[in-house]
Amino acid sequence: MISLHQVSKSYETPAGKFSALRDIDLEIDRGEFVGVVGKSGSGKSTLLNMVAGIDRPSSGSVGVAGTAIHGLSENKLAVWRGRNVGFVFQFFQLLPTLTAAENVMLPMDFSKSFPFRERRKRALALLERVAVGAHADKLPATLSGGEQQRVAIARALANEPSLVLADEPTGNLDSVTATAILDLFRDMANQGTTVVIATHEADIARVIDRRIEISDGKIRPSSV
Amino acid sequence: MTTLWRKAIRDFWHERARTALVVLAIALGISAFAAVLSSYAILTRELDRGYLATNPASAVIRVDSIDDDLVNAILQNPEVSDAEPRRTISGQLKSGPVQWRNVMLFVVNDYGNIRVSKLVPEKGAWPPATGEILIERDAFQVAKASIGDAVIIKTANGVEQPLVISGSVHDVGQAQARMENIVYGYINLATLAQLGEDPYLNQLNILVAENRFDKDHIRRVVADVEEVIKSRGHEVRRTDIPTPGKHPHSDLTGILLLAMSSFGLFVLVLSGILVINLLTAMMASQVRQIGVMKAIGGTRWQIARIYFGQALFLGIAAVIVSVPLGILGSRALCRYMAMFLNFDINSFAVPLWVYLLVAVIGVAAPLIAAAYPVWSGTRAPVRVALSDFGLSQTTFGASAFDRALTRIGGTFSLIAFAIRNSFRRRARLALTLLTLAAGGLFFLSALNVRASMINTLDQLFGARKFDLTVSFVNSYEMEKIQRAINNTQGISKAEGWFATEASLEARRFNVVALPPDSQLQEFDIIEGRSLAPGDTDTIVVNNALASREPKMRAGETVMLRMGNAETTWRVVGVAREAFSPAVAYIPHSGMVNNLRLALDKSDPDAVSLVKADLDRNLEQEGVRARSSVSTADTRFAFDQHMLMIYVFLIVMSSIIGGVGGLGLMTTMSLNVFERRREMGVMRALGATPRIIWLMIVAEGVVIGVLSWTIAAILAWPISKAIGDFMVKIMFKSGLDFVFEPVGLLIWIAVSIGLSAAASFLPAWRASRVTVREALAYE
């Protein structure tokens, strides 16, 4: 499903060159639930960005579901991402002027993956699935953090992606809500969706299939 | 409706106060543009339609006299549709005890059968009976009389005769009487006889049968008619062929309105700047949202469409608001112009093409203005957009300019703070300054152009050392006239001149013969020299003639036709005369047909007394004055012509100032919005709401003062260019430019007042935000 070969990423900073990833080789299978753990600044978000096509490697190749995404243009990447990847952010990043249902409909509108009339119906079903159906027509500002993250997960599932990536999805939630959110990801993986979560919290062992530990831009061999 | 459109609409609703300001500013721009464009369409249509409805003459031929046989002979020509005899005779009119005013009398034999250059009866009697006179509706103010009043008329060869004003008419083809400072009167042939003139007609108004708008065709037909007139032993004295189908003021009106339209477009461009400011700020505040949309599959174009949709909404909303405003504005403008040009508007209907053009430009302008902010705002790669930390982190102090700013403002921290804050968003500041400075520039230009026009006219009239011009129908020996002058009190200096016409290769111009050492006329020589005592065959031309006739340069010899004779003249100089028709000056000798008089006193009453006294004394010598005009009256007519230029400039500067004010309000509102957290910090540190309020108003005032500085620096060259441009297209003349320093003082007061008013509301709202709300803002 995901194949990274000799992926490196470095940034030019005022303090000099900073290597975020170094010679990463990684294979993740379809339906696998993988947790990428590491300290802040270890390179886990960069790794997720590489897989999502949000960032490009300085060297190496990234293949997702048979597509070499490192060679795609920004626009082609956006189209590919809309159809194949669901992304969940730490701070939810719901668009504040759209209701919960509309936030979920947004990727469908971008990708035109479902007929226009079906989009709201599907958005409501997804919100029901993540247990916030009652809040479908509320604006994000009126929802709690946990509810917002559930809406964000529903949005990530909007186009039935084969891959869901989540960057610190529970980092801004209390422990009870975090557990419920992780369970949702587990359900997704059980239904065949590949799920990759970046987190600095070590306590996710009970839900994930595989744990990848990253430190100083390198994957610890023992963790793969 | 897709979520993309919903987002576009709700984002705007979220920013509704600023959106409303920008819609208002664009609407103001479109309204101004729509008003002048509609006026252009209405006035050019109505002016020509009203003029054509009078069946205007294709040509006017002046002959020695006309009888029925001559008219019938001319009508034998199948290419002549009509030929109607008239007479135009100048004279003087007195409605009160003293003052004579110039009158142009139009004599028509049969008022019931006017077919060419028709008159429209307005009030009172029609047609005028014998002993009655009709007055052109705009000339009543000049005549200072009303229907029913008796006025005294005297013509060149006649006697003073009272006539009753029995009604008013509208003569579409005449220039506005108030501007020309002349009375247009309409009498019949019997009344002309009562006035002591020989009752004959000498002017043929010719109407061609076909191709009425083809000047070459008219010329050919007129040449045939002239042959018929000559073959019957009559003399052709002068032929005029006006531009076919065009009111005499049609082109001038068109030029003026086109100039107005271009300024309207300029206002629209300025209001587009507000769109740039609003969308740039909105894009900047939504960088992370843009990143999220890209991360979940939105392409750059899909996201850009949201913001272009908002610009489209701005345009549509502004067009909806502005079209009725523009139409109302155009009606006011049309009424003013119609009054100014003395014609009636039958229909204010605005053609469809105006609506379409206004709609297209109104909608396109915000879209064009949005292009750069939207395109650059959606450019950031996803990772960069997602890592955006928000607006409050924008740095100040990185550049040398920032550090230099920290040394401005002295020890008064509020001013220093306001100056630094105003420079934080430099692109926005530059665009805001552009609109405000443009308003200032137009205002200063209006005052400067006005002052320059006055100065130019002062120069022109300063060179005329005479207070009164008296014209005679015939030519006389100066000795005869000198006796009358000597018997008249209040004349300090007098010169007898001779005015005639000459032509160079069939192109006519005025010729004035005056003493070479004239005490009453100075020349501003720009090439060669002036006339000098002893000159005989020398000629000095004014710049209007020199620019029209390339042969009229100092040192050239030209062959001129005066009457039936052709004579050779040496051009010795070119004199500058603003706002003047083409004139050539030659040394005077022999007979005179007009007098130039310098008077002891030049107030209107004194001039009238001298005129009356001189008239009596001239009559005792057997000399009849045809007309007399004071230099002050001539100056008044010039001033009236200039009035509309600076009224227009003042109106434009007010509109641009309004757009600038709305722009500043938008800018201050954005600045306050982006710095909410910073204000929360200040409040937490102990700043009172009043300090916050003062700080923002001070920032607005700093921007106002900066805009004034820019306007003040640019005012000189820009107002000179505007003045030269407008005067050149209207009068084919230049300006003696002067700078009006009072304008700077007025505009600094306006700038500060406008800036303070524009920042008042954002400042007030900022001062009301609680510390908690402000600190919570991301």
Side-chain angles (χ1 to χ4, degrees):
Chain A
M1 178 69 190
I2 299 170
S3 173
L4 277 73
H5 180 65
Q6 286 295 298
V7 170
S8 294
K9 178 68 185 179
S10 54
Y11 300 105
E12 290 297 333
T13 69
K17 196 172 178 181
F18 169 71
S19 292
L21 292 178
R22 301 164 199 239
D23 302 324
I24 300 287
D25 286 306
L26 179 66
E27 299 286 335
I28 296 174
D29 292 334
R30 187 175 298 275
E32 208 175 353
F33 187 174
V34 175
V36 180
V37 294
K39 292 177 182 167
S40 183
S42 60
K44 55 187 186 303
S45 292
T46 308
L47 179 65
L48 236 63
N49 286 347
M50 293 294 152
V51 176
I54 283 173
D55 208 349
R56 293 168 188 281
S58 303
S59 62
S61 62
V62 181
V64 180
T67 304
I69 62 168
H70 59 274
L72 296 179
S73 68
E74 276 289 317
N75 269 342
K76 281 185 177 162
L77 268 176
V79 173
W80 171 84
R81 222 172 13 243
R83 290 185 176 277
N84 297 288
V85 182
F87 211 102
V88 181
F89 303 88
Q90 179 180 359
F91 291 102
F92 331 128
Q93 303 293 5
L94 299 176
L95 300 194
T97 51
L98 297 181
T99 63
E102 287 164 351
N103 264 286
V104 179
M105 288 158 67
L106 191 61
M108 295 185 254
D109 283 342
F110 280 139
S111 301
K112 297 186 174 61
S113 48
F114 293 89
F116 182 75
R117 288 173 190 282
E118 281 181 28
R119 292 175 199 166
R120 180 169 165 83
K121 207 184 294 176
R122 177 169 169 75
L124 294 178
L126 286 168
L127 289 170
E128 285 294 342
R129 185 173 154 193
V130 295
V132 284
H135 303 304
D137 294 320
K138 290 182 180 171
L139 288 169
T142 63
L143 303 178
S144 69
E147 288 164 343
Q148 287 193 49
Q149 195 59 302
R150 283 170 191 269
V151 175
I153 290 168
R155 182 177 67 182
L157 296 173
N159 287 328
E160 292 182 321
S162 53
L163 171 64
V164 170
L165 302 170
D167 191 3
E168 306 273 6
T170 56
N172 215 29
L173 301 174
D174 62 79
S175 60
V176 176
T177 312
T179 303
I181 294 294
L182 287 175
D183 287 342
L184 274 174
F185 284 119
R186 179 67 259 174
D187 286 348
M188 282 182 220
N190 292 343
Q191 288 171 32
T193 306
T194 307
V195 180
V196 182
I197 288 181
T199 180
H200 64 270
E201 294 168 34
D203 189 22
I204 55 166
R206 68 171 185 86
V207 289
I208 59 173
D209 298 323
R210 180 154 58 120
R211 181 172 184 274
I212 295 171
E213 197 174 332
I214 192 161
S215 172
D216 296 331
K218 285 188 169 179
I219 294 173
R220 285 196 174 185
S222 58
S223 70
V224 180
Chain B
M1 188 189 289
T2 66
T3 46
L4 305 180
W5 279 104
R6 286 179 200 176
K7 174 170 164 51
I9 292 166
R10 288 195 203 141
D11 282 356
F12 255 8
W13 179 246
H14 188 61
E15 303 283 323
R16 52 192 172 274
R18 270 184 290 278
T19 305
L21 283 179
V22 174
V23 167
L24 203 60
I26 302 171
L28 205 55
I30 302 173
S31 299
F33 179 64
V36 281
L37 199 65
S38 309
S39 302
Y40 174 78
I42 293 168
L43 287 174
T44 48
R45 180 191 66 208
E46 295 292 315
L47 189 61
D48 289 340
R49 184 194 282 172
Y51 180 60
L52 285 175
T54 67
N55 225 11
S58 309
V60 176
I61 305 173
R62 287 183 178 81
V63 297
D64 49 352
S65 67
I66 300 166
D67 51 42
D68 288 346
D69 288 346
L70 180 62
V71 174
N72 289 333
I74 290 167
L75 288 173
Q76 293 297 309
N77 184 343
E79 289 187 298
V80 177
S81 143
D82 215 331
E84 205 175 279
R86 282 194 194 178
R87 184 165 170 190
T88 306
I89 185 167
S90 59
Q92 295 187 75
L93 173 150
K94 190 163 73 171
S95 56
V98 178
Q99 196 168 355
W100 286 98
R101 294 179 182 85
N102 292 332
V103 64
M104 184 75 76
L105 293 171
F106 298 92
V107 187
V108 178
N109 195 23
D110 183 2
Y111 275 88
N113 191 29
I114 298 179
R115 303 174 307 275
V116 184
S117 300
K118 291 179 194 167
L119 303 169
V120 183
E122 290 249 317
K123 288 178 187 164
W126 176 266
T130 303
E132 291 179 354
I133 183 171
L134 303 179
I135 300 285
E136 212 289 329
R137 67 179 188 184
D138 194 62
F140 279 91
Q141 288 186 45
V142 185
K144 301 203 186 317
S146 309
I147 294 173
D149 289 353
V151 290
I152 309 291
I153 303 277
K154 67 172 176 183
T155 55
N157 302 309
V159 292
E160 287 185 18
Q161 178 73 30
L163 296 181
V164 174
I165 301 174
S166 59
S168 66
V169 293
H170 180 205
D171 192 348
V172 180
Q174 299 303 327
Q176 196 199 30
R178 271 179 290 174
M179 282 178 70
E180 303 299 320
N181 203 23
I182 192 168
V183 180
Y184 301 125
Y186 302 81
I187 57 172
N188 64 23
L189 212 49
T191 307
L192 183 66
Q194 276 190 353
L195 291 173
E197 292 282 345
D198 290 337
Y200 66 88
L201 304 177
N202 64 359
Q203 175 186 314
L204 268 170
N205 287 1
I206 302 286
L207 195 64
V208 297
E210 290 172 353
N211 301 328
R212 286 187 183 177
F213 303 122
D214 180 350
K215 201 165 186 174
D216 288 337
H217 173 73
I218 294 169
R219 216 172 263 139
R220 282 194 296 274
V221 175
V222 165
D224 292 344
V225 171
E226 285 177 341
E227 283 307 311
V228 172
I229 294 168
K230 286 175 190 166
S231 71
R232 294 187 154 259
H234 289 279
E235 184 192 340
V236 174
R237 289 184 175 157
R238 182 184 171 128
T239 300
D240 290 303
I241 301 175
T243 306
K246 290 274 177 198
H247 186 281
H249 284 150
S250 178
D251 287 344
L252 178 67
T253 312
I255 288 169
L256 194 66
L257 285 164
L258 273 181
M260 287 186 183
S261 297
S262 57
F263 285 118
L265 209 57
F266 177 65
V267 177
L268 193 58
V269 169
L270 289 182
S271 58
I273 286 172
L274 304 192
V275 179
I276 297 177
N277 266 351
L278 181 77
L279 282 176
T280 304
M282 192 177 269
M283 302 298 294
S285 69
Q286 295 202 352
V287 170
R288 207 184 285 181
Q289 284 191 40
I290 291 166
V292 170
M293 286 191 280
K294 282 186 173 180
I296 61 174
T299 61
R300 186 178 180 185
W301 174 235
Q302 281 175 320
I303 296 163
R305 274 199 329 229
I306 296 173
Y307 300 99
F308 277 125
Q310 290 174 339
L312 186 69
F313 165 78
L314 284 176
I316 291 170
V319 166
I320 290 169
V321 172
S322 61
V323 165
L325 282 177
I327 300 301
L328 280 178
S330 83
R331 289 193 175 195
L333 188 59
C334 284
R335 284 200 182 97
Y336 174 74
M337 294 290 283
M339 184 198 74
F340 186 74
L341 297 170
N342 189 28
F343 75 101
D344 292 326
I345 294 174
N346 290 323
S347 164
F348 284 98
V350 179
L352 182 65
W353 67 265
V354 173
Y355 288 109
L356 291 176
L357 191 60
V358 168
V360 167
I361 290 179
V363 170
L367 283 174
I368 292 166
Y372 178 73
V374 171
W375 205 240
S376 61
T378 53
R379 188 176 47 198
V382 192
R383 184 189 61 79
V384 176
L386 286 173
S387 60
D388 183 73
F389 288 107
L391 292 155
S392 54
Q393 299 301 309
T394 50
T395 53
F396 179 88
S399 71
F401 182 75
D402 293 342
R403 291 191 290 277
L405 278 178
T406 59
R407 290 191 283 274
I408 300 174
T411 52
F412 185 40
S413 60
L414 192 66
I415 296 292
F417 202 52
I419 292 171
R420 285 172 217 172
N421 275 341
S422 62
F423 277 94
R424 283 170 73 168
R425 291 240 156 224
R426 282 182 208 147
R428 185 182 299 161
L429 174 70
L431 294 174
T432 309
L433 286 176
L434 189 65
T435 50
L436 281 173
L441 262 178
F442 269 86
F443 177 79
L444 294 173
S445 296
L447 293 192
N448 289 343
V449 168
R450 179 179 177 277
S452 302
M453 282 175 173
I454 291 170
N455 182 46
T456 307
L457 289 173
D458 285 348
Q459 302 283 327
L460 177 69
F461 284 88
R464 297 178 184 177
K465 306 293 182 189
F466 49 90
D467 301 304
L468 184 63
T469 301
V470 179
S471 303
F472 313 121
V473 175
N474 300 314
S475 307
Y476 301 95
E477 294 288 348
M478 187 60 192
E479 287 75 26
K480 200 173 187 180
I481 289 162
Q482 192 63 51
R483 279 197 294 274
I485 294 168
N486 293 341
N487 291 331
T488 306
Q489 297 291 312
I491 297 174
S492 59
K493 217 171 276 176
E495 285 181 7
W497 293 10
F498 190 89
T500 185
E501 272 192 344
S503 60
L504 177 68
E505 294 164 3
R507 291 184 297 276
R508 278 197 297 260
F509 55 88
N510 297 324
V511 173
V512 174
L514 73 172
D517 55 350
S518 173
Q519 304 289 301
L520 298 181
Q521 176 71 54
E522 287 177 356
F523 290 111
D524 178 10
I525 297 293
I526 53 174
E527 189 182 311
R529 66 169 177 85
S530 186
L531 296 174
D535 279 351
T536 52
D537 61 345
T538 54
I539 185 168
V540 168
V541 298
N542 72 359
N543 53 321
L545 184 56
S547 63
R548 200 184 82 181
E549 304 290 349
K551 285 183 182 172
M552 296 283 203
R553 313 304 309 188
E556 296 287 332
T557 301
V558 289
M559 180 82 82
L560 303 181
R561 173 173 284 276
M562 289 191 207
N564 293 323
E566 282 202 332
T567 44
T568 304
W569 299 85
R570 282 186 303 120
V571 181
V572 293
V574 177
R576 184 170 176 276
E577 279 188 320
F579 311 127
S580 289
V583 182
Y585 295 93
I586 58 173
H588 176 256
S589 61
M591 310 287 271
V592 300
N593 64 5
N594 68 87
L595 270 183
R596 308 291 160 130
L597 303 167
L599 308 182
D600 295 337
K601 292 178 185 172
S602 56
D603 59 281
D605 289 342
V607 172
S608 289
L609 284 171
V610 171
K611 271 162 80 174
D613 197 15
L614 181 62
D615 274 356
R616 273 193 302 275
N617 295 328
L618 284 169
E619 295 213 4
Q620 280 179 6
E621 298 295 331
V623 175
R624 171 61 64 88
R626 181 179 63 183
S627 66
S628 59
V629 60
S630 71
T631 305
D633 282 348
T634 312
R635 173 69 190 259
F636 175 77
F638 271 100
D639 287 340
Q640 289 294 302
H641 279 88
M642 301 297 166
L643 184 67
M644 68 179 182
I645 293 185
Y646 40 80
V647 164
F648 162 65
L649 285 172
I650 289 283
V651 169
M652 289 313 295
S653 64
S654 306
I655 293 173
I656 295 173
V659 172
L662 289 170
L664 181 59
M665 205 182 271
T666 313
T667 294
M668 294 310 298
S669 158
L670 289 170
N671 287 353
V672 167
F673 180 72
E674 290 169 4
R675 296 207 297 265
R676 266 168 86 174
R677 189 152 58 179
E678 193 176 294
M679 284 166 200
V681 171
M682 283 190 285
R683 293 283 302 279
L685 293 174
T688 61
R690 188 170 164 275
I691 289 286
I692 298 286
W693 183 88
L694 268 176
M695 195 183 76
I696 294 160
V697 171
E699 188 178 331
V701 170
V702 164
I703 294 173
V705 172
L706 279 173
S707 79
W708 172 84
T709 310
I710 294 168
I713 291 168
L714 294 176
W716 188 298
I718 297 284
S719 47
K720 184 170 181 342
I722 289 176
D724 280 343
F725 170 74
M726 297 201 74
V727 170
K728 192 157 275 176
I729 60 168
M730 291 179 75
F731 303 104
K732 313 271 183 270
S733 187
L735 275 179
D736 289 317
F737 184 75
V738 286
F739 195 87
E740 180 68 88
V742 177
L744 291 175
L745 295 177
I746 297 173
W747 192 249
I748 186 99
V750 171
S751 294
I752 290 174
L754 191 69
S755 311
S759 46
F760 176 85
L761 201 61
W764 182 74
R765 288 174 67 174
S767 67
R768 285 172 58 90
V769 175
T770 65
V771 182
R772 186 190 58 75
E773 283 172 336
L775 287 175
Y777 172 71
E778 188 190 342

